[in-house]
Amino acid sequence: DWALCLKLLSGSRGYPLCNFASRSAKKSEGLQNTFQIHNSARFQKSLEMGKTSVVWQWAGDSAKGSQDVWIDYDKKNQELIETAFNESMGKVKIDDERFVDLTDASQFYQRRWDDPEGKCRLVRRLEKGGKSASAAAVALPSLPVQDEFSKSIPTLQGRKFCLTGAMSKPRKQIEAEIKKYGGQVSATVSGTVTHLVSAGNDDTSKSSAATSRGIPVITEKQLNKMFARCRADKSIQPRSTWVPEVRNRDPSIFHSKFSGIPYLAPGDEWPKCCCHKHMNLMMQLNLAQCPPEFTKRVGNTGLIQLFACMDFCPSNDGAENVRFIANPDQSVTTESVVSRKPKFEYEQVAKEIVGWVHKCDIRSQTEDDDDDNDDGDDGSDDEVEECDNEFLTVTGDKIGGWCNWCQGVEYPMCPKCDEKMTNLVMQIEGNPSDFCIGDAGTAHVFQCSKHKSEFHFGWACS
């Protein structure tokens, strides 16, 4: 194959220069792209790259740090990479162990075939004047959204109720409301019944049958609360929330991600905690990659970053942990941020956000109790109701929706209008980010609904 290629390139036997793909390369599972050789000015220019000011480099290690020294590729690989760059190819084979990934226009990487996501190094293309091609302004692609909102709206689907005793409302009216919200009704306590609704007399034969079968017995009041949540009234107030889908990779400094290298404007210092330690990046959101409904609610464009001290000092919260960059400088390169990056005792594996799952989020029962206490209820009449857990606030890492309060309700106050900041921007509980917030805790960022530039970080643990 290569002998034929040389004949084609040399023009012997009258063959013109033409597209060529090596059959042996096609058989290789590792090399995703095969080089197409074109009789074009761009290709001829790339062959003469040694006479130009274009240089391809990869990030090596010095004796004092990691990926802090730029090393030139040899002439052969310089030509191969430049050809692939000019022909918009995705990957370039360097040797049997490594390849250069050009698929991300904002940052190039050298990766290993055996672990492309975990073992990678920065790569850059320098032109005359020191300009890096990977620093050019690019429009980040929108991320896919999987819609599960309608599936997660509270209903009684999958639940079958049996009623016993004299209710406050006609039984037919109660049964009709159960069916209205997707539930089923049974005249007897069969094996498929999920709840027995009792009027308060636990001595009935149905109550005994439910107890022996392990079927939960609830009151009419509890059933009414389930109806109320299905009606989406004050006690539930459904909101949209989006759960991130991730992969282990540190994308460019402009992408949405957990941990990794953040965007840092020229002259900006790495943020520090009150204990004087540098703070880790927990989450970075590029609003251009977020669902439009979320972006509209936040009311901004640009980047939102959350930094936190991994010791989670008692006073490690507030507005200083959150950075909002309305117009990031697209000329900033990853290497310029890496050069300012401090050494951390602990760093979480970087995770690129590659998509979102849209879900219906339910207002926490904790907030219902908080509202009752605000209205003068001392809470002494509160019951531990089984149906409180029928519909739950979405847990784990998410953007938008309601906060999954770890302890009590702790909405911060806006410093400008002195009103509660109830717009949840992000919540981090360690799934899928793997962050550990104290002892099974929750970290959250809120925004003022009136003053969109005001953010506040807080956290709590059990």
Side-chain angles (χ1 to χ4, degrees), residues 411-452:
Y411 283 118
M413 307 301 291
C414 175
K416 290 186 177 179
C417 62
D418 201 33
E419 294 185 9
K420 287 183 179 180
M421 302 168 71
T422 58
N423 189 17
L424 179 68
V425 177
M426 61 180 73
Q427 170 181 292
I428 300 178
E429 292 186 324
N431 182 20
S433 66
D434 291 336
F435 279 108
C436 182
I437 316 298
D439 183 12
T442 302
H444 37 72
V445 172
F446 286 98
Q447 178 195 40
C448 178
S449 58
K450 293 182 179 179
H451 303 97
K452 300 295 187 180

Side-chain angles (χ1 to χ4, degrees), residues 90-365:
K91 299 178 181 179
V92 186
K93 182 178 180 180
I94 299 301
D95 52 37
D96 291 338
E97 296 182 350
R98 289 169 284 271
F99 68 94
V100 172
D101 185 354
L102 303 175
T103 55
D104 186 346
S106 61
Q107 180 58 63
F108 308 134
Y109 295 93
Q110 177 178 281
R111 304 184 184 276
R112 292 182 64 93
W113 293 111
D114 58 350
D115 188 7
E117 301 299 335
K119 298 179 180 179
C120 61
R121 292 181 175 274
L122 300 175
V123 171
R124 69 178 180 179
R125 177 183 186 269
L126 290 180
E127 298 176 355
K128 187 176 182 179
K131 179 183 176 182
S132 175
S134 61
V138 292
L140 294 181
S142 59
L143 300 180
V145 178
Q146 180 182 342
D147 196 349
E148 293 185 0
F149 185 90
S150 58
K151 296 180 183 178
S152 53
I153 293 178
T155 69
L156 300 181
Q157 290 182 2
R159 299 177 175 87
K160 182 180 285 188
F161 299 84
C162 179
L163 280 64
T164 183
M167 305 291 174
S168 63
K169 295 185 292 186
R171 184 167 295 194
K172 288 186 176 180
Q173 180 181 343
I174 297 175
E175 292 177 349
E177 197 160 9
I178 290 174
K179 294 176 181 178
K180 176 182 177 181
Y181 297 119
Q184 295 178 298
V185 178
S186 175
T188 61
V189 182
S190 64
T192 57
V193 169
T194 59
H195 296 80
L196 175 67
V197 184
S198 173
N201 184 0
D202 296 332
D203 295 331
T204 65
S205 59
K206 290 182 178 179
S207 297
S208 300
T211 301
S212 64
R213 292 175 181 268
I215 297 173
V217 179
I218 64 174
T219 64
E220 183 182 2
K221 179 182 177 181
Q222 291 172 313
L223 179 62
N224 287 334
K225 177 173 283 191
M226 296 171 75
F227 290 156
R229 295 202 167 193
C230 290
R231 286 193 296 269
D233 67 355
K234 176 179 178 293
S235 67
I236 164 180
Q237 299 181 22
R239 285 181 178 178
S240 287
T241 191
W242 293 268
V243 177
E245 295 183 311
V246 302
R247 64 175 175 177
N248 289 349
R249 181 194 175 202
D250 192 359
S252 83
I253 58 174
F254 300 100
H255 278 63
S256 298
K257 56 184 168 181
F258 293 101
S259 193
I261 307 298
Y263 168 86
L264 207 63
D268 282 357
E269 295 183 357
W270 204 283
K272 287 186 177 181
C273 175
C274 58
C275 68
H276 305 296
K277 289 184 179 180
H278 288 98
M279 295 192 288
N280 295 64
L281 174 71
M282 292 191 72
M283 189 176 191
Q284 174 173 282
L285 286 178
N286 187 315
L287 294 174
Q289 294 184 304
C290 295
E293 183 181 342
F294 173 81
T295 303
K296 182 178 179 181
R297 181 166 186 172
V298 174
N300 285 312
T301 58
L303 301 175
I304 300 176
Q305 299 172 328
L306 171 61
F307 292 87
C309 174
M310 292 297 97
D311 290 339
F312 284 94
C313 305
S315 57
N316 179 29
D317 58 15
E320 61 273 9
N321 294 71
V322 185
R323 287 188 172 184
F324 169 62
I325 305 100
N327 298 296
D329 184 352
Q330 295 288 339
S331 68
V332 176
T333 62
T334 301
E335 52 265 26
S336 70
V337 180
V338 171
S339 65
R340 288 177 281 168
K341 181 176 178 290
K343 289 188 177 181
F344 292 102
E345 295 179 6
Y346 171 81
E347 282 190 83
Q348 190 56 265
V349 175
K351 294 179 183 287
E352 176 186 11
I353 298 176
V354 297
W356 305 98
V357 179
H358 183 202
K359 293 188 176 185
C360 175
D361 210 1
I362 307 304
R363 190 170 185 254
S364 171
Q365 178 67 28

